Amino acid sequence: MSGVGAVRQVALSAGRDLDVTLAFWQGVLGLNVHARYDPPGMAFIMAGDVRLLFIDGVPPGTVYLDIAGLEAFHAEAKAAGIPFTAPPTIVHRDTEGRFGPAGESEWMAFLKDPAGNTIGLVERLAPEQN
Amino acid sequence: MKPFLEGHEDPLTVLVAREMDAVSDVDVVAWAGCHAAPPSYAEDSDYQELLRSNPRNPLALGKAHGHLTSLVARVFADFDPSSAQAGEMARRLFLRRIRSYLHSDLEPLQICRMIPPIEERYDYPYWLGNLYDVCDWMDARTTRDQALHLRDAIEQILSDNGESQLPDATE
């Protein structure tokens, strides 16, 4: 029987300047550096229980993060000059309740960090909230 | 590829296009830059702000939609963005936008993200066809090659609406 379980860690590109990348995650997304090891030049940010590892030598990746209040976050970030590659939009209507309460919709917006990692911000909304 | 907005459109058309996410804030600023405004709003403060906006400045872009909305509210005070008139403008823009998908490098999400605002504002219009289902799970990572069914759906919608699939003069 497999003992494989939940996601523990995801590796993302540190980009050319780890400081700049981490500043984006802290300043824009509000996620602080949990640990940093320099040398060799790597850092961890906790996204819930999952470790995001920022390290040189891996290609830019994609990570989807839960957010509460996506529309308000987008409006505020946009007013602050943060560019989004895609504004909030419905990506899936979970009519059968396959990924959560039936009837909810998944809204996503996308932006890129300075390292080129794609960040999908995800919020599930009940029908009356759409 | 020519831009979707060429400059000859009036502010009402641009606002409808922006509110249904057929165009972006960059497109709105670019439109202002090549639009020959009539005297009725050429000196309008919000129009002037759009003219001065730098499309490479995210802060300025973040205000573009607001300037356009204010311009329309002041100069076209009788315009109701949820009216039948606006709905017909939206339908024409939508059909033109999806047709442009067939002849350009638009990403699938640029088509699919029009659905929620159109549904909300125009009460689930028939002319959306089955894009509601076709766009399921299409996000910013979805490529055109992964979305061949979107192309099929667009061709069907154009056919159902009596529209040509050939590029129009602006594409």
Side-chain angles (χ1 to χ4, degrees):
Chain A
M1 184 181 306
S2 170
V4 176
V7 173
R8 171 65 61 99
Q9 179 169 303
V10 173
L12 296 172
S13 173
R16 281 183 294 186
D17 189 331
L18 180 58
D19 287 329
V20 171
T21 299
L22 295 177
F24 177 92
W25 281 74
Q26 183 165 13
V28 176
L29 302 173
L31 295 176
N32 296 319
V33 176
H34 183 77
R36 180 167 180 168
Y37 301 92
D38 214 356
M42 56 193 283
F44 291 96
I45 285 175
M46 299 301 295
D49 292 331
V50 177
R51 293 193 303 236
L52 302 180
L53 164 62
F54 293 83
I55 189 167
D56 201 11
V58 299
T62 301
V63 63
Y64 296 75
L65 304 174
D66 279 338
I67 184 172
L70 175 59
E71 191 66 49
F73 175 85
H74 172 256
E76 190 176 332
K78 190 175 147 188
I82 307 300
F84 280 72
T85 50
T89 192
I90 293 179
V91 167
H92 178 65
R93 303 175 205 241
D94 195 359
T95 52
E96 297 174 354
R98 188 159 299 183
F99 300 102
E104 288 189 348
S105 295
E106 286 208 11
W107 287 72
M108 295 187 189
F110 292 85
L111 64 168
K112 284 185 183 290
D113 73 7
N117 298 302
T118 296
I119 302 156
L121 299 174
V122 186
E123 183 175 35
R124 285 181 65 97
L125 293 178
E128 63 273 16
Q129 294 176 289
N130 288 332
Chain B
M1 184 179 66
K2 291 183 179 179
F4 188 67
L5 298 174
E6 296 187 294
H8 58 73
E9 299 86 356
D10 61 29
L12 300 180
T13 302
V14 179
L15 181 63
V16 170
R18 179 63 190 86
E19 300 226 323
M20 60 190 270
D21 274 334
V23 298
S24 67
D25 294 327
V26 174
D27 298 320
V28 171
V29 169
W31 163 82
C34 59
H35 179 61
S40 58
Y41 57 85
E43 300 302 322
D44 181 272
S45 59
D46 282 293
Y47 181 69
Q48 288 294 318
E49 287 288 347
L50 284 174
L51 273 179
R52 285 194 288 266
S53 296
N54 178 352
R56 286 188 290 276
N57 180 345
L59 266 177
L61 286 177
K63 297 175 182 172
H65 191 176
H67 289 310
L68 178 63
T69 304
S70 299
L71 167 67
V72 168
R74 189 159 47 243
V75 180
F76 304 90
D78 293 337
F79 180 71
D80 176 1
S82 299
S83 64
Q85 174 202 2
E88 177 57 19
M89 293 167 71
R91 188 182 78 88
R92 301 300 313 171
L93 287 163
F94 170 76
L95 294 173
R96 206 180 122 212
R97 189 59 163 163
I98 63 173
R99 184 169 56 234
S100 72
Y101 181 86
L102 303 178
H103 309 287
S104 69
D105 57 358
L106 283 179
E107 297 297 330
L109 188 60
Q110 289 177 273
I111 296 298
C112 291
R113 74 186 188 202
M114 289 193 290
I115 297 174
I118 288 174
E119 284 181 339
E120 182 180 352
R121 176 143 281 173
Y122 305 111
D123 197 19
Y124 302 88
Y126 70 90
W127 40 266
L128 275 181
N130 66 339
L131 278 194
Y132 176 101
D133 295 323
V134 170
C135 285
D136 196 24
W137 285 119
M138 287 205 196
D139 71 16
R141 305 286 297 180
T142 307
T143 66
R144 291 174 64 91
D145 287 342
Q146 292 168 330
L148 296 178
H149 58 307
L150 174 60
R151 188 180 186 89
D152 296 339
I154 286 173
E155 290 174 353
Q156 185 63 51
I157 292 170
L158 291 173
S159 173
D160 291 346
N161 282 272
E163 292 280 325
S164 168
Q165 295 177 14
L166 299 174
D168 63 25
T170 63
E171 292 162 7

